[in-house]
Amino acid sequence: MLDLKWMRSNPEEVNIFLSNRNYEFDLDALFALDDERRALISETEELKAKRNEGSKQVAVAKQSGQDATALMDEIRRISERSKELDALISGIEHKIEDMSLNMPNKPHSSVPVGKDENDNLEVFRWGEPRRFDFEPKDHADLGEELGIMDFVRGAMLAESRFTVLRGLGSRLERAIINFMLDLHISEHGYIEILPPFMVKSDMLRGTGNLPKFADDLYKCEIDDLWLIPTAEVPLTNLHHGEILEEKDLPKYYAAYTPCFRREAGSYGRDTKGMLRQHQFDKVELVKICTPETSYDEHEKLTRDAEKVLQILQLPYRKICLCTGDMGFGSAKTYDLEVWLPSQNKYREISSCSNCEDFQARRMGTRYRPASGEKGSDTDKKLRYVHTLNGSGIAIGRTLIAIMENCQRADGSVEIPEPLRPYMGGISEIK
């Protein structure tokens, strides 16, 4: 959510970034509602002044023994009108909030302007894609032949885009999870969290998933609880509505969770295998910090995610998303794309975003700055925190990348050395 005062002062800038983000938004309608709200508030204040003055006159009249009936009737009419206005103001404020919740975040000045993924900017590449002396198989064929992936039973138990992992496939998934958590907690300084996998509607509104992306979420109607699409939602909302102290920032959180998405807009895409699932595992990283440090923290968070791929020796590239391809709540996003030999191209495995104060305004999460040198009251004015999130990284896609990049001609898969301690010393799946 953006600051309405800022938008009113910078309408041209707002319209430019909306155009750059491929969004249609009726800014004039939003401002018209705000004008109506302001006019009603002004009328309400005038009525309150009249009511206060009338109350004084009634008191004087009663003290002097005069008939105050007419004055009291007038005060009653003013009070009734004030209640009507309060209800109108409340209704308009709900409309303003509903409109504002559908406004995307403003891109950072360093984000390249573009319409879609073709305009994204490649920052750099790490590692060289392996050259095979045989025709590499995709993960789905490998998984079925090795007996570690069962797509038929996944669909039987649920529907398509659900998968049963078995044996060493399940163990490798668990090994990847533990490896990533240990790395981020022990070396990168994150606090491990095990959050609920279901959240209230307010939490999803806080991170920007609602109301815009309701169709992509799974909901338990009877309880008004939603299955989380990513651990970003509970982690970022850990301080929903709180006032933090600057001395306690930044906060680093990491969590493993399953994630649930309908993939409503991906019909016909990546239907084979585990690349695009309705349920998948992920280790998520979230940071909460001050505005002054958020872009340094963004670079660090992205490097933390990259470290996973580097340790596992998986070739990848780093992409800065353009204005037209960024997520709804992001001010700047780096995507990490891992090399998949079967597709002969890079595919997204992590997305690391700085949302600035976009989510904090929706959550009502602020901080109290430490005293300035002079210790004045203005130094302690409450400010909104900045929030950042990133996959650290997607577990299923890491499993896919390992299987495809580490496969052998005989159909076996070599386990990367850093994962072997988590596999009880097992070095291959065959």
Side-chain angles (χ1 to χ4, degrees), residues 3 24 27 73 76 84 114 158 203 212 236 313 316 326 342 346 371 381 406 413:
D3 184 2
E24 293 184 3
L27 199 60
D73 288 341
R76 191 177 300 110
E84 292 174 1
M203 305 302 109
K212 187 171 179 59
T236 308
Q313 295 290 301
Y316 71 93
M326 285 198 312
S342 69
Y346 293 93
S371 298
K381 184 177 180 181
C406 300
V413 173

Side-chain angles (χ1 to χ4, degrees), residues 20 28 58 69 86 105 128 130 141 169 175 186 235 249 255 272 276 359 369 389 394 408 428:
N20 290 339
D28 291 336
V58 167
T69 302
D86 287 342
N105 202 357
E128 288 293 330
R130 176 184 169 189
D141 291 337
S186 300
L235 291 182
L249 299 175
K272 183 180 180 181
R276 193 178 297 274
Q359 294 176 325
N389 64 81
R408 297 170 175 152
E428 62 181 356

Side-chain angles (χ1 to χ4, degrees), residues 31-196:
F31 291 164
L33 282 172
D34 189 43
D35 288 338
E36 185 178 357
R37 181 185 67 90
R38 292 184 180 197
L40 292 175
I41 289 174
S42 178
E43 183 179 349
T44 299
E45 291 174 347
E46 290 177 4
L47 289 175
K48 287 180 179 177
K50 289 181 180 180
R51 185 177 60 192
N52 292 337
E53 181 60 30
S55 296
K56 292 178 182 178
Q57 292 177 4
V58 167
V60 171
K62 287 183 176 181
Q63 287 177 357
S64 61
Q66 298 177 10
D67 184 5
T69 302
L71 285 171
M72 293 173 67
D73 288 341
E74 179 64 18
I75 290 173
R76 191 177 300 110
R77 285 192 292 271
I78 290 174
S79 296
E80 290 173 354
R81 176 57 179 166
S82 293
K83 290 179 181 178
E84 292 174 1
L85 291 176
D86 287 342
L88 289 172
I89 292 168
S90 178
I92 291 171
E93 287 177 342
H94 282 302
K95 291 179 180 178
I96 290 174
E97 182 180 19
D98 288 345
M99 287 192 71
S100 299
L101 288 174
N102 284 285
M103 164 87 73
N105 202 357
K106 175 181 176 291
H108 188 261
S109 59
S110 63
V111 173
V113 175
K115 291 297 182 183
D116 54 37
E117 61 184 14
N118 296 312
D119 297 318
N120 291 339
L121 177 66
E122 181 175 322
V123 179
F124 72 90
R125 299 188 182 198
W126 187 93
E128 288 293 330
R130 176 184 169 189
R131 294 185 178 182
F132 292 85
D133 55 8
F134 60 91
E135 186 67 26
K137 298 177 181 179
D138 69 26
H139 72 279
D141 291 337
L142 282 168
E144 287 184 318
E145 292 171 8
L146 290 168
I148 62 174
M149 291 180 177
D150 194 330
F151 304 106
V152 174
R153 286 184 172 83
M156 178 192 71
L157 293 171
E159 61 179 12
S160 61
R161 298 196 177 184
F162 287 88
T163 303
V164 172
L165 293 178
R166 66 168 72 226
L168 292 181
S170 300
R171 189 164 186 178
L172 180 56
E173 180 104 346
R174 179 160 50 91
I176 294 169
I177 293 167
N178 290 330
F179 159 70
M180 290 183 187
L181 285 175
D182 285 350
L183 174 68
H184 295 312
I185 293 159
S186 300
E187 295 190 23
H188 298 154
Y190 292 82
I191 296 174
E192 183 177 359
I193 302 291
L194 184 60

Side-chain angles (χ1 to χ4, degrees), residues 400-417:
I400 289 170
I402 289 171
M403 290 178 65
E404 294 201 6
N405 284 280
C406 300
Q407 63 180 293
R408 297 170 175 152
D410 63 359
S412 63
V413 173
E414 183 180 2
I415 305 298
E417 287 192 14

Side-chain angles (χ1 to χ4, degrees), residues 9 13 39 81 103 181 221 274 311 345 379 394 410 414 418 420:
S9 300
E13 186 174 351
R81 176 57 179 166
M103 164 87 73
L181 285 175
E221 295 282 352
M274 283 183 56
I311 292 175
K345 63 180 179 180
D379 292 326
D410 63 359
E414 183 180 2
R420 293 176 189 177

